[in-house]
């Protein structure tokens, strides 16, 4: 019998999730259907209820419903709880469980696909919005030497660092001058507007990898700045996109699908 899944968003037409999960299902021989559902603003919970009533097994959730998704769940993984948002729901025995696979997807992309271990490294994360909050836990679990935050609005970075205190030390980066990071990650939404966050002097000194969570935009201003500064390896978020989907798939189906060919197919050259 075919198991039904879907991605909920508004808008949702742009979502690549049906294509990605369709590839995973074909690769792993899973009998699944996966649709796009545009829920009305303010109507997410009702739309999910209808999908469950029709036999849906689980869903992905994209903007603007990730916080609503967390709110309607009865239980949540630590990743979803600390993110305060969910991009994956699982329906079982009348219950809704929430997960957030973004951080696991990002750390897997960096460690497994880009061959850059996080343990013992110094990492700078730019931004302190929902995207950054959603990924911090797996970074701390990977035991870096330092995980530092820098945000345009410093109070938000300080609040996030405090929120994570039970899980590990998150430091705050000096906005004027800091360096010595092995990995610098742009977790701001700057690349969506074609801008670059203000960068401290020397931020890329000694940096081995610059990573932008945005995908499909080619060489973003942040990645261009990293390349100009001599960073040997720059990457956008296409691998994170595929890996977070693979983590959702694993959580639903108990199978971790292969991701390499799909990442290669979806990669937009960084020029
Ligand atoms: P998202 O879900 O993408 O994280 P968000 O929660 O609205 O969206 O957060 C956007 C983040 O990008 C914030 O950290 C924001 O900085 P502020 O907290 O100061 O608003 C950051 N951001 C967006 N555009 C930026 C820019 N041009 N330069 C620097 N930071 C930017």
């Amino acid at each position: 019998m075919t198991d039904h899944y879907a991605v909920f968003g508004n808008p949702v037409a742009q979502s690549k999730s049906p294509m990605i999960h369709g590839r995973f299902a074909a690769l792993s021989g899973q009998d699944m259907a996966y649709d796009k559902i545009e829920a009305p603003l303010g109507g997410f919970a009702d739309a999910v209820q209808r999908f469950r009533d029709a036999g849906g097994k689980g869903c992905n959730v994209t903007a603007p419903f990730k916080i609503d998704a967390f709110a309607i769940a009865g239980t949540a993984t630590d990743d979803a709880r600390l993110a305060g948002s969910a991009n994956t729901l699982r329906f079982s025995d009348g219950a809704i469980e929430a997960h957030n696979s973004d951080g696991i997807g990002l750390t897997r992309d960096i460690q497994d696909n880009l061959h850059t271990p996080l343990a013992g490294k110094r990492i700078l994360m730019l931004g302190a919005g929902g995207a950054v909050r959603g990924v911090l836990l797996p970074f701390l679990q990977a035991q870096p030497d330092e995980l530092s935050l820098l945000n345009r609005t410093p109070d938000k970075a300080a609040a996030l660092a405090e929120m994570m205190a039970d899980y590990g030390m998150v430091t705050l980066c000096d906005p004027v001058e800091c360096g010595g990071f092995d990995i610098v990650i742009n977790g701001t939404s700057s690349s969506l507007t074609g801008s670059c966050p203000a960068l401290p002097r020397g931020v890329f000194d000694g940096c081995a990898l610059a990573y932008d969570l945005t995908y499909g935009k080619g060489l973003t201003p942040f990645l261009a700045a990293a390349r100009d500064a001599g960073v040997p390896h720059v990457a956008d978020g296409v691998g994170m996109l595929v890996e977070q989907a693979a983590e959702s798939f694993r959580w639903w189906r108990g199978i971790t699908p292969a991701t390499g060919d799909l990442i290669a197919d979806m990669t937009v050259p960084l020029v």
Side-chain angles (χ1 to χ4, degrees):
M1 201 174 90
T2 304
D3 289 335
H4 287 264
Y5 295 84
V7 56
F8 287 76
N10 187 334
V12 78
Q14 79 292 347
S15 175
K16 306 238 185 298
S17 292
M19 182 276 288
I20 294 173
H21 284 285
R23 286 273 291 262
F24 289 163
L27 270 176
S28 57
Q30 298 288 293
D31 188 2
M32 292 168 63
Y34 191 109
D35 296 321
K36 290 178 191 179
I37 298 178
E38 184 169 286
L41 298 177
F44 174 73
D46 288 345
V48 169
Q49 186 59 50
R50 276 194 296 280
F51 184 65
R52 289 175 68 201
D53 292 345
K57 296 276 189 206
C59 65
N60 285 126
V61 182
T62 190
F65 299 127
K66 288 186 182 186
I67 293 173
D68 296 337
F70 177 69
I72 65 170
T75 58
T77 60
D78 280 351
D79 289 283
R81 206 168 43 72
L82 277 161
S85 67
N87 70 348
T88 312
L89 297 178
R90 186 165 71 183
F91 312 134
S92 52
D93 303 329
I96 301 179
E97 299 169 88
H99 186 29
N100 193 316
S101 62
D102 283 335
I104 294 169
L106 175 58
T107 52
R108 273 195 200 142
D109 188 39
I110 293 174
Q111 299 200 102
D112 300 349
N113 301 330
L114 303 176
H115 311 294
T116 307
L118 298 171
K121 298 288 173 57
R122 295 191 66 216
I123 303 165
L124 174 63
M125 181 76 74
L126 302 171
V132 168
R133 181 175 171 187
V135 301
L136 289 179
L137 180 61
F139 275 90
L140 286 174
Q141 289 169 333
Q143 302 199 305
D145 183 45
E146 181 178 357
L147 178 59
S148 195
L149 289 184
L150 176 61
N151 191 46
R152 183 174 60 185
T153 308
D155 287 356
K156 283 207 234 167
L160 265 193
E162 200 179 312
M163 204 184 76
M164 299 306 295
D166 284 348
Y167 295 85
M169 169 84 114
V170 177
T171 59
L172 300 173
C173 174
D174 187 309
V176 178
E177 188 153 12
C178 63
F181 295 105
D182 301 292
I183 303 168
V184 179
I185 300 170
N186 183 17
T188 77
S189 51
S190 65
S191 301
L192 299 177
T193 54
S195 59
C196 187
L199 298 169
R201 206 168 34 243
V203 72
F204 291 121
D205 291 356
C207 176
L209 170 67
Y211 192 108
D212 198 322
L213 298 199
T214 306
Y215 69 90
K217 300 266 180 212
L219 194 70
T220 64
F222 166 78
L223 294 178
R227 196 172 265 176
D228 287 349
V231 176
H233 197 170
V234 300
D236 75 357
V238 64
M240 175 188 177
L241 173 72
V242 175
E243 293 294 346
Q244 61 79 28
E247 169 60 13
S248 297
F249 192 92
R250 183 203 63 74
W251 196 61
W252 291 327
R253 310 296 299 183
I255 293 168
T256 303
T259 53
D261 287 349
L262 189 49
I263 294 172
D265 289 351
M266 293 179 71
T267 294
V268 172
L270 297 181
V271 288

